[in-house]
PDB file of all heavy atoms in Angstrom:
ATOM      1  N   GLU A 538      74.131 105.975  89.371  1.00 95.00           N
ATOM      2  CA  GLU A 538      74.614 106.727  88.194  1.00 95.00           C
ATOM      3  C   GLU A 538      75.318 108.019  88.598  1.00 95.00           C
ATOM      4  O   GLU A 538      76.159 108.532  87.861  1.00 95.00           O
ATOM      5  CB  GLU A 538      73.450 107.071  87.249  1.00 95.00           C
ATOM      6  CG  GLU A 538      72.693 105.872  86.692  1.00 95.00           C
ATOM      7  CD  GLU A 538      71.813 105.186  87.737  1.00 95.00           C
ATOM      8  OE1 GLU A 538      71.222 105.895  88.570  1.00 95.00           O
ATOM      9  OE2 GLU A 538      71.765 103.940  87.742  1.00 95.00           O
ATOM     10  N   ALA A 539      74.947 108.558  89.761  1.00 96.00           N
ATOM     11  CA  ALA A 539      75.515 109.845  90.171  1.00 96.00           C
ATOM     12  C   ALA A 539      76.944 109.693  90.681  1.00 96.00           C
ATOM     13  O   ALA A 539      77.691 110.664  90.754  1.00 96.00           O
ATOM     14  CB  ALA A 539      74.646 110.480  91.260  1.00 96.00           C
ATOM     15  N   LEU A 540      77.340 108.467  91.034  1.00 97.00           N
ATOM     16  CA  LEU A 540      78.726 108.222  91.452  1.00 97.00           C
ATOM     17  C   LEU A 540      79.556 108.005  90.203  1.00 97.00           C
ATOM     18  O   LEU A 540      79.196 107.173  89.366  1.00 97.00           O
ATOM     19  CB  LEU A 540      78.803 106.953  92.297  1.00 97.00           C
ATOM     20  CG  LEU A 540      78.568 107.014  93.800  1.00 97.00           C
ATOM     21  CD1 LEU A 540      78.838 105.628  94.379  1.00 97.00           C
ATOM     22  CD2 LEU A 540      79.443 108.056  94.477  1.00 97.00           C
ATOM     23  N   ASP A 541      80.660 108.720  90.074  1.00 97.00           N
ATOM     24  CA  ASP A 541      81.540 108.528  88.919  1.00 97.00           C
ATOM     25  C   ASP A 541      82.362 107.253  89.131  1.00 97.00           C
ATOM     26  O   ASP A 541      83.311 107.244  89.916  1.00 97.00           O
ATOM     27  CB  ASP A 541      82.456 109.748  88.760  1.00 97.00           C
ATOM     28  CG  ASP A 541      83.280 109.667  87.482  1.00 97.00           C
ATOM     29  OD1 ASP A 541      83.378 108.554  86.899  1.00 97.00           O
ATOM     30  OD2 ASP A 541      83.836 110.706  87.077  1.00 97.00           O
ATOM     31  N   LEU A 542      81.971 106.184  88.440  1.00 97.00           N
ATOM     32  CA  LEU A 542      82.652 104.892  88.619  1.00 97.00           C
ATOM     33  C   LEU A 542      83.508 104.546  87.396  1.00 97.00           C
ATOM     34  O   LEU A 542      83.916 103.395  87.223  1.00 97.00           O
ATOM     35  CB  LEU A 542      81.628 103.789  88.893  1.00 97.00           C
ATOM     36  CG  LEU A 542      80.754 104.010  90.140  1.00 97.00           C
ATOM     37  CD1 LEU A 542      79.696 102.931  90.274  1.00 97.00           C
ATOM     38  CD2 LEU A 542      81.615 104.076  91.401  1.00 97.00           C
ATOM     39  N   THR A 543      83.817 105.572  86.569  1.00 96.00           N
ATOM     40  CA  THR A 543      84.617 105.359  85.366  1.00 96.00           C
ATOM     41  C   THR A 543      85.911 104.610  85.681  1.00 96.00           C
ATOM     42  O   THR A 543      86.648 105.018  86.582  1.00 96.00           O
ATOM     43  CB  THR A 543      85.017 106.715  84.727  1.00 96.00           C
ATOM     44  OG1 THR A 543      83.935 107.614  84.886  1.00 96.00           O
ATOM     45  CG2 THR A 543      85.376 106.561  83.268  1.00 96.00           C
ATOM     46  N   GLY A 544      86.141 103.539  84.950  1.00 95.00           N
ATOM     47  CA  GLY A 544      87.411 102.831  85.093  1.00 95.00           C
ATOM     48  C   GLY A 544      87.476 101.929  86.309  1.00 95.00           C
ATOM     49  O   GLY A 544      88.507 101.317  86.581  1.00 95.00           O
ATOM     50  N   LEU A 545      86.394 101.848  87.040  1.00 95.00           N
ATOM     51  CA  LEU A 545      86.398 101.000  88.240  1.00 95.00           C
ATOM     52  C   LEU A 545      85.600  99.745  87.924  1.00 95.00           C
ATOM     53  O   LEU A 545      84.463  99.815  87.474  1.00 95.00           O
ATOM     54  CB  LEU A 545      85.748 101.772  89.396  1.00 95.00           C
ATOM     55  CG  LEU A 545      85.808 101.107  90.773  1.00 95.00           C
ATOM     56  CD1 LEU A 545      87.239 100.929  91.222  1.00 95.00           C
ATOM     57  CD2 LEU A 545      85.063 101.970  91.794  1.00 95.00           C
ATOM     58  N   ASP A 546      86.216  98.608  88.178  1.00 93.00           N
ATOM     59  CA  ASP A 546      85.572  97.341  87.855  1.00 93.00           C
ATOM     60  C   ASP A 546      84.794  96.865  89.080  1.00 93.00           C
ATOM     61  O   ASP A 546      85.303  96.117  89.887  1.00 93.00           O
ATOM     62  CB  ASP A 546      86.648  96.321  87.452  1.00 93.00           C
ATOM     63  CG  ASP A 546      86.001  95.056  86.904  1.00 93.00           C
ATOM     64  OD1 ASP A 546      84.807  95.129  86.509  1.00 93.00           O
ATOM     65  OD2 ASP A 546      86.678  94.015  86.888  1.00 93.00           O
ATOM     66  N   LEU A 547      83.571  97.356  89.200  1.00 94.00           N
ATOM     67  CA  LEU A 547      82.758  96.987  90.364  1.00 94.00           C
ATOM     68  C   LEU A 547      81.488  96.315  89.903  1.00 94.00           C
ATOM     69  O   LEU A 547      80.867  96.735  88.925  1.00 94.00           O
ATOM     70  CB  LEU A 547      82.370  98.240  91.159  1.00 94.00           C
ATOM     71  CG  LEU A 547      83.173  98.641  92.379  1.00 94.00           C
ATOM     72  CD1 LEU A 547      82.383  99.622  93.209  1.00 94.00           C
ATOM     73  CD2 LEU A 547      83.559  97.442  93.231  1.00 94.00           C
ATOM     74  N   ASP A 548      81.102  95.307  90.631  1.00 94.00           N
ATOM     75  CA  ASP A 548      79.856  94.622  90.383  1.00 94.00           C
ATOM     76  C   ASP A 548      78.674  95.564  90.615  1.00 94.00           C
ATOM     77  O   ASP A 548      78.644  96.256  91.633  1.00 94.00           O
ATOM     78  CB  ASP A 548      79.787  93.463  91.391  1.00 94.00           C
ATOM     79  CG  ASP A 548      79.090  92.285  90.820  1.00 94.00           C
ATOM     80  OD1 ASP A 548      79.591  91.756  89.813  1.00 94.00           O
ATOM     81  OD2 ASP A 548      78.034  91.919  91.379  1.00 94.00           O
ATOM     82  N   GLU A 549      77.731  95.584  89.686  1.00 95.00           N
ATOM     83  CA  GLU A 549      76.545  96.444  89.862  1.00 95.00           C
ATOM     84  C   GLU A 549      75.828  96.139  91.174  1.00 95.00           C
ATOM     85  O   GLU A 549      75.345  97.033  91.859  1.00 95.00           O
ATOM     86  CB  GLU A 549      75.566  96.224  88.707  1.00 95.00           C
ATOM     87  CG  GLU A 549      75.423  97.420  87.792  1.00 95.00           C
ATOM     88  CD  GLU A 549      74.534  97.092  86.599  1.00 95.00           C
ATOM     89  OE1 GLU A 549      73.332  96.889  86.834  1.00 95.00           O
ATOM     90  OE2 GLU A 549      75.060  97.013  85.468  1.00 95.00           O
ATOM     91  N   ALA A 550      75.780  94.857  91.483  1.00 96.00           N
ATOM     92  CA  ALA A 550      75.087  94.448  92.716  1.00 96.00           C
ATOM     93  C   ALA A 550      75.800  94.995  93.945  1.00 96.00           C
ATOM     94  O   ALA A 550      75.161  95.380  94.927  1.00 96.00           O
ATOM     95  CB  ALA A 550      75.007  92.925  92.786  1.00 96.00           C
ATOM     96  N   ASP A 551      77.149  95.050  93.872  1.00 97.00           N
ATOM     97  CA  ASP A 551      77.902  95.601  95.015  1.00 97.00           C
ATOM     98  C   ASP A 551      77.644  97.092  95.170  1.00 97.00           C
ATOM     99  O   ASP A 551      77.531  97.589  96.292  1.00 97.00           O
ATOM    100  CB  ASP A 551      79.411  95.362  94.838  1.00 97.00           C
ATOM    101  CG  ASP A 551      79.792  93.923  95.151  1.00 97.00           C
ATOM    102  OD1 ASP A 551      78.891  93.159  95.570  1.00 97.00           O
ATOM    103  OD2 ASP A 551      80.974  93.570  94.973  1.00 97.00           O
ATOM    104  N   VAL A 552      77.588  97.806  94.041  1.00 97.00           N
ATOM    105  CA  VAL A 552      77.309  99.247  94.106  1.00 97.00           C
ATOM    106  C   VAL A 552      75.942  99.468  94.742  1.00 97.00           C
ATOM    107  O   VAL A 552      75.777 100.292  95.648  1.00 97.00           O
ATOM    108  CB  VAL A 552      77.363  99.894  92.701  1.00 97.00           C
ATOM    109  CG1 VAL A 552      77.017 101.378  92.781  1.00 97.00           C
ATOM    110  CG2 VAL A 552      78.742  99.692  92.084  1.00 97.00           C
ATOM    111  N   ALA A 553      74.962  98.694  94.295  1.00 97.00           N
ATOM    112  CA  ALA A 553      73.618  98.815  94.874  1.00 97.00           C
ATOM    113  C   ALA A 553      73.662  98.504  96.368  1.00 97.00           C
ATOM    114  O   ALA A 553      73.059  99.208  97.181  1.00 97.00           O
ATOM    115  CB  ALA A 553      72.653  97.890  94.152  1.00 97.00           C
ATOM    116  N   ALA A 554      74.421  97.471  96.717  1.00 97.00           N
ATOM    117  CA  ALA A 554      74.456  97.043  98.123  1.00 97.00           C
ATOM    118  C   ALA A 554      75.144  98.077  99.015  1.00 97.00           C
ATOM    119  O   ALA A 554      74.737  98.288 100.156  1.00 97.00           O
ATOM    120  CB  ALA A 554      75.155  95.697  98.246  1.00 97.00           C
ATOM    121  N   VAL A 555      76.179  98.721  98.489  1.00 98.00           N
ATOM    122  CA  VAL A 555      76.914  99.679  99.326  1.00 98.00           C
ATOM    123  C   VAL A 555      76.106 100.973  99.514  1.00 98.00           C
ATOM    124  O   VAL A 555      76.319 101.715 100.471  1.00 98.00           O
ATOM    125  CB  VAL A 555      78.341  99.928  98.772  1.00 98.00           C
ATOM    126  CG1 VAL A 555      78.340 100.934  97.639  1.00 98.00           C
ATOM    127  CG2 VAL A 555      79.302 100.358  99.875  1.00 98.00           C
ATOM    128  N   LEU A 556      75.169 101.221  98.594  1.00 98.00           N
ATOM    129  CA  LEU A 556      74.340 102.435  98.687  1.00 98.00           C
ATOM    130  C   LEU A 556      72.984 102.176  99.340  1.00 98.00           C
ATOM    131  O   LEU A 556      72.216 103.103  99.595  1.00 98.00           O
ATOM    132  CB  LEU A 556      74.108 103.016  97.277  1.00 98.00           C
ATOM    133  CG  LEU A 556      75.337 103.564  96.555  1.00 98.00           C
ATOM    134  CD1 LEU A 556      74.978 103.984  95.130  1.00 98.00           C
ATOM    135  CD2 LEU A 556      75.934 104.749  97.317  1.00 98.00           C
ATOM    136  N   ARG A 557      72.686 100.918  99.604  1.00 97.00           N
ATOM    137  CA  ARG A 557      71.350 100.536 100.030  1.00 97.00           C
ATOM    138  C   ARG A 557      70.974 101.101 101.405  1.00 97.00           C
ATOM    139  O   ARG A 557      71.762 101.071 102.344  1.00 97.00           O
ATOM    140  CB  ARG A 557      71.272  99.009 100.104  1.00 97.00           C
ATOM    141  CG  ARG A 557      69.876  98.446 100.027  1.00 97.00           C
ATOM    142  CD  ARG A 557      69.975  96.997  99.586  1.00 97.00           C
ATOM    143  NE  ARG A 557      70.032  96.130 100.766  1.00 97.00           N
ATOM    144  CZ  ARG A 557      68.966  95.508 101.255  1.00 97.00           C
ATOM    145  NH1 ARG A 557      67.798  95.653 100.688  1.00 97.00           N
ATOM    146  NH2 ARG A 557      69.090  94.748 102.325  1.00 97.00           N
ATOM    147  N   VAL A 558      69.753 101.609 101.485  1.00 97.00           N
ATOM    148  CA  VAL A 558      69.193 102.014 102.785  1.00 97.00           C
ATOM    149  C   VAL A 558      68.137 100.974 103.127  1.00 97.00           C
ATOM    150  O   VAL A 558      67.087 100.923 102.500  1.00 97.00           O
ATOM    151  CB  VAL A 558      68.579 103.426 102.711  1.00 97.00           C
ATOM    152  CG1 VAL A 558      67.947 103.805 104.043  1.00 97.00           C
ATOM    153  CG2 VAL A 558      69.640 104.442 102.301  1.00 97.00           C
ATOM    154  N   ASP A 559      68.446 100.123 104.076  1.00 96.00           N
ATOM    155  CA  ASP A 559      67.562  99.017 104.401  1.00 96.00           C
ATOM    156  C   ASP A 559      66.676  99.411 105.578  1.00 96.00           C
ATOM    157  O   ASP A 559      67.167  99.669 106.675  1.00 96.00           O
ATOM    158  CB  ASP A 559      68.404  97.783 104.743  1.00 96.00           C
ATOM    159  CG  ASP A 559      67.543  96.563 105.017  1.00 96.00           C
ATOM    160  OD1 ASP A 559      66.798  96.570 106.029  1.00 96.00           O
ATOM    161  OD2 ASP A 559      67.612  95.611 104.222  1.00 96.00           O
ATOM    162  N   ARG A 560      65.376  99.464 105.322  1.00 97.00           N
ATOM    163  CA  ARG A 560      64.432  99.950 106.332  1.00 97.00           C
ATOM    164  C   ARG A 560      64.552  99.148 107.631  1.00 97.00           C
ATOM    165  O   ARG A 560      64.573  99.721 108.731  1.00 97.00           O
ATOM    166  CB  ARG A 560      63.030  99.848 105.742  1.00 97.00           C
ATOM    167  CG  ARG A 560      61.944 100.347 106.635  1.00 97.00           C
ATOM    168  CD  ARG A 560      60.642 100.439 105.858  1.00 97.00           C
ATOM    169  NE  ARG A 560      59.542 100.716 106.771  1.00 97.00           N
ATOM    170  CZ  ARG A 560      58.810  99.780 107.347  1.00 97.00           C
ATOM    171  NH1 ARG A 560      59.052  98.506 107.100  1.00 97.00           N
ATOM    172  NH2 ARG A 560      57.839 100.116 108.183  1.00 97.00           N
ATOM    173  N   ASP A 561      64.646  97.825 107.533  1.00 96.00           N
ATOM    174  CA  ASP A 561      64.690  97.005 108.750  1.00 96.00           C
ATOM    175  C   ASP A 561      65.971  97.255 109.553  1.00 96.00           C
ATOM    176  O   ASP A 561      65.946  97.319 110.781  1.00 96.00           O
ATOM    177  CB  ASP A 561      64.564  95.518 108.406  1.00 96.00           C
ATOM    178  CG  ASP A 561      63.165  95.198 107.896  1.00 96.00           C
ATOM    179  OD1 ASP A 561      62.232  95.971 108.231  1.00 96.00           O
ATOM    180  OD2 ASP A 561      63.014  94.214 107.149  1.00 96.00           O
ATOM    181  N   GLU A 562      67.102  97.383 108.820  1.00 95.00           N
ATOM    182  CA  GLU A 562      68.355  97.672 109.531  1.00 95.00           C
ATOM    183  C   GLU A 562      68.252  99.007 110.265  1.00 95.00           C
ATOM    184  O   GLU A 562      68.715  99.142 111.402  1.00 95.00           O
ATOM    185  CB  GLU A 562      69.531  97.718 108.549  1.00 95.00           C
ATOM    186  CG  GLU A 562      70.008  96.346 108.108  1.00 95.00           C
ATOM    187  CD  GLU A 562      71.181  96.421 107.117  1.00 95.00           C
ATOM    188  OE1 GLU A 562      71.354  97.456 106.435  1.00 95.00           O
ATOM    189  OE2 GLU A 562      71.916  95.431 107.017  1.00 95.00           O
ATOM    190  N   TRP A 563      67.640  99.983 109.626  1.00 97.00           N
ATOM    191  CA  TRP A 563      67.538 101.307 110.253  1.00 97.00           C
ATOM    192  C   TRP A 563      66.528 101.315 111.382  1.00 97.00           C
ATOM    193  O   TRP A 563      66.733 101.992 112.398  1.00 97.00           O
ATOM    194  CB  TRP A 563      67.247 102.392 109.204  1.00 97.00           C
ATOM    195  CG  TRP A 563      68.528 102.764 108.535  1.00 97.00           C
ATOM    196  CD1 TRP A 563      69.001 102.291 107.341  1.00 97.00           C
ATOM    197  CD2 TRP A 563      69.563 103.604 109.067  1.00 97.00           C
ATOM    198  NE1 TRP A 563      70.257 102.792 107.080  1.00 97.00           N
ATOM    199  CE2 TRP A 563      70.627 103.605 108.125  1.00 97.00           C
ATOM    200  CE3 TRP A 563      69.695 104.350 110.226  1.00 97.00           C
ATOM    201  CZ2 TRP A 563      71.801 104.334 108.327  1.00 97.00           C
ATOM    202  CZ3 TRP A 563      70.864 105.081 110.425  1.00 97.00           C
ATOM    203  CH2 TRP A 563      71.905 105.066 109.483  1.00 97.00           C
ATOM    204  N   LEU A 564      65.434 100.518 111.222  1.00 96.00           N
ATOM    205  CA  LEU A 564      64.481 100.413 112.342  1.00 96.00           C
ATOM    206  C   LEU A 564      65.166  99.809 113.566  1.00 96.00           C
ATOM    207  O   LEU A 564      64.897 100.200 114.702  1.00 96.00           O
ATOM    208  CB  LEU A 564      63.273  99.564 111.922  1.00 96.00           C
ATOM    209  CG  LEU A 564      62.222 100.314 111.081  1.00 96.00           C
ATOM    210  CD1 LEU A 564      61.166  99.342 110.528  1.00 96.00           C
ATOM    211  CD2 LEU A 564      61.545 101.416 111.904  1.00 96.00           C
ATOM    212  N   ALA A 565      66.106  98.898 113.318  1.00 94.00           N
ATOM    213  CA  ALA A 565      66.823  98.260 114.433  1.00 94.00           C
ATOM    214  C   ALA A 565      67.748  99.256 115.146  1.00 94.00           C
ATOM    215  O   ALA A 565      68.117  99.058 116.302  1.00 94.00           O
ATOM    216  CB  ALA A 565      67.620  97.067 113.925  1.00 94.00           C
ATOM    217  N   GLU A 566      68.142 100.333 114.457  1.00 95.00           N
ATOM    218  CA  GLU A 566      68.998 101.352 115.091  1.00 95.00           C
ATOM    219  C   GLU A 566      68.216 102.207 116.090  1.00 95.00           C
ATOM    220  O   GLU A 566      68.802 102.756 117.031  1.00 95.00           O
ATOM    221  CB  GLU A 566      69.584 102.314 114.035  1.00 95.00           C
ATOM    222  CG  GLU A 566      70.567 101.700 113.073  1.00 95.00           C
ATOM    223  CD  GLU A 566      71.977 101.606 113.646  1.00 95.00           C
ATOM    224  OE1 GLU A 566      72.561 102.634 114.022  1.00 95.00           O
ATOM    225  OE2 GLU A 566      72.475 100.475 113.726  1.00 95.00           O
ATOM    226  N   ILE A 567      66.901 102.352 115.832  1.00 97.00           N
ATOM    227  CA  ILE A 567      66.099 103.312 116.614  1.00 97.00           C
ATOM    228  C   ILE A 567      66.182 103.043 118.132  1.00 97.00           C
ATOM    229  O   ILE A 567      66.501 103.974 118.890  1.00 97.00           O
ATOM    230  CB  ILE A 567      64.626 103.327 116.135  1.00 97.00           C
ATOM    231  CG1 ILE A 567      64.568 103.749 114.663  1.00 97.00           C
ATOM    232  CG2 ILE A 567      63.753 104.196 117.038  1.00 97.00           C
ATOM    233  CD1 ILE A 567      64.566 105.227 114.408  1.00 97.00           C
ATOM    234  N   PRO A 568      65.935 101.787 118.577  1.00 96.00           N
ATOM    235  CA  PRO A 568      66.042 101.581 120.033  1.00 96.00           C
ATOM    236  C   PRO A 568      67.451 101.837 120.556  1.00 96.00           C
ATOM    237  O   PRO A 568      67.618 102.310 121.697  1.00 96.00           O
ATOM    238  CB  PRO A 568      65.650 100.112 120.231  1.00 96.00           C
ATOM    239  CG  PRO A 568      65.476  99.514 118.881  1.00 96.00           C
ATOM    240  CD  PRO A 568      65.477 100.592 117.856  1.00 96.00           C
TER     241      PRO A 568
END
Side-chain angles (χ1 to χ4, degrees):
E538 300 73 38
L540 273 185
D541 186 344
L542 301 175
T543 323
L545 187 62
D546 189 19
L547 262 197
D548 213 61
E549 248 175 68
D551 283 356
V552 178
V555 81
L556 294 175
R557 202 159 93 98
V558 177
D559 183 294
R560 182 169 171 269
D561 291 337
E562 283 180 337
W563 279 97
L564 280 171
E566 293 278 301
I567 299 276

